[in-house]
Each structure stands twice: as structure tokens, then as C-alpha cells.
Amino acid sequence: MTTNQIALSHISIKQRVIAGLVCTTLGLGMIIGVGFAGAHTMHNAAHDTRHAVGFPCH
Ligand SMILES: [Zn+2]
């Protein structure tokens, strides 16, 4: 048994199902959100992220 198998054995099936549902919901939200966002919205989001991390752009 490896270290990862020992650590995962403490997580119940219910907790694994909840984690899977949360990850699926977040993933689908990102895919659908990006899929329906316009090019201008995506550009502004990327631009705002660059400013938020202090990357100089203009
Ligand atoms: Zn800028």
C-alpha cells in the first residue's frame, strides 16, 4: 500500500461523491461560462487578471 492509498482510505464514499459532484459542477460552469462568453468579455477578463497579478501591460 502506498502513502496515497492510505490517505484516501480515510475518505468515505459519501465524501468522494460530494467532491466529484462539486468538481463536475465547477468544471461544467467554467466550460459553459467560457463557451457562452463573447470575445470582448474574454479579453477583458484576461486583461483584468493580468492587472490583478501585477503584470505590466500598458
Ligand atoms: Zn492593462
Side-chain angles (χ1 to χ4, degrees), residues 47 50-51 57-58:
H47 196 153
R50 271 200 315 212
H51 280 270
C57 68
H58 56 86

Side-chain angles (χ1 to χ4, degrees), residues 11-52:
I11 301 172
S12 71
I13 295 295
K14 182 180 177 183
Q15 288 173 318
R16 293 178 195 199
V17 170
I18 290 172
L21 288 174
V22 169
C23 290
T24 301
T25 302
L26 290 176
L28 285 175
M30 279 194 275
I31 291 171
I32 292 170
V34 170
F36 284 103
H40 190 72
T41 302
M42 294 306 297
H43 173 84
N44 286 341
H47 196 153
D48 292 346
T49 302
R50 271 200 315 212
H51 280 270

